[in-house]
Amino acid sequence: FLGLSRLDIKALSQAGVLHDIGKVGISDAVLMKPGKLNETEWEEMKRHPIIGAELLAPLQTMSRVLPIVRHHHEQWAGTGYPDGLKGEEIPYLARCFQLLDAYDALTTERPYKRAFTHEETCNILTEECDNGRWDPALMTQFLAYLEQERTSE
């Protein structure tokens, strides 16, 4: 849909599996905590993209995946982590992946939340985009893609 190369699509697919690999370096007490994380716990959790990138860095075959893993929590407005990148400073594939990951997270039931419907999810993502979380141009394309997929079923 975006005209990405085969290698970019492969990197996105691999990132789908590996993006949170850095959580192996986060304590179980933080990972399994049923409630909201306190400030110290949140700071520990925010280290997982850095840990993940460090784990993948020695692997030449992961060179396209590494920026996605490191930057999948950056935000368009510059308020994300770990590096506070803003706008197009965030690698393009990381920006693409963010929307895929967010859609999956919102539409999947978790111990702390119900699964949102497609419509609810699109509304949440649009609101988050309006608040500076996502790349607005990619958000428009993502919504168009989702609509195309739904109408072709």
Side-chain angles (χ1 to χ4, degrees), residues 2 9 28 40 42 47 69 80 90 94 99-100 134 136 143 146:
L2 295 175
I9 292 169
D28 283 348
T40 302
W42 181 237
R47 289 184 29 247
V69 170
I90 304 165
L99 290 169
L100 299 168
W134 316 118
L143 293 174
L146 292 173

Side-chain angles (χ1 to χ4, degrees), residues 106-121:
L106 289 167
T107 58
T108 303
E109 184 177 347
R110 303 285 168 94
Y112 52 86
K113 71 159 201 66
R114 68 177 176 84
F116 292 101
T117 66
H118 168 78
E119 291 76 17
E120 290 171 319
T121 297

Side-chain angles (χ1 to χ4, degrees), residues 72-143:
H72 73 278
H73 285 295
E74 301 289 355
Q75 294 186 15
W76 187 252
T79 55
Y81 63 90
D83 300 313
L85 300 182
K86 181 178 185 176
E88 293 187 5
E89 295 174 344
I90 304 165
Y92 184 70
L93 290 182
R95 288 183 273 143
C96 292
F97 181 79
Q98 291 170 337
L99 290 169
L100 299 168
D101 187 42
Y103 185 88
D104 178 66
L106 289 167
T107 58
T108 303
E109 184 177 347
R110 303 285 168 94
Y112 52 86
K113 71 159 201 66
R114 68 177 176 84
F116 292 101
T117 66
H118 168 78
E119 291 76 17
E120 290 171 319
T121 297
C122 290
N123 289 337
I124 291 167
L125 292 174
T126 299
E127 183 178 327
E128 290 175 342
C129 186
D130 292 344
N131 291 327
R133 190 162 189 175
W134 316 118
D135 176 333
L138 271 177
M139 184 71 215
T140 299
Q141 291 176 298
F142 186 60
L143 293 174

Side-chain angles (χ1 to χ4, degrees), residues 22 46 50 63 152:
K46 288 182 355 184
I50 295 169
S63 64
S152 68

Side-chain angles (χ1 to χ4, degrees), residues 29-44:
V30 170
L31 289 175
M32 304 300 184
K33 184 174 180 179
K36 191 173 174 111
L37 301 178
N38 66 35
E39 189 175 326
T40 302
E41 294 163 334
W42 181 237
E43 289 304 314
E44 180 180 352

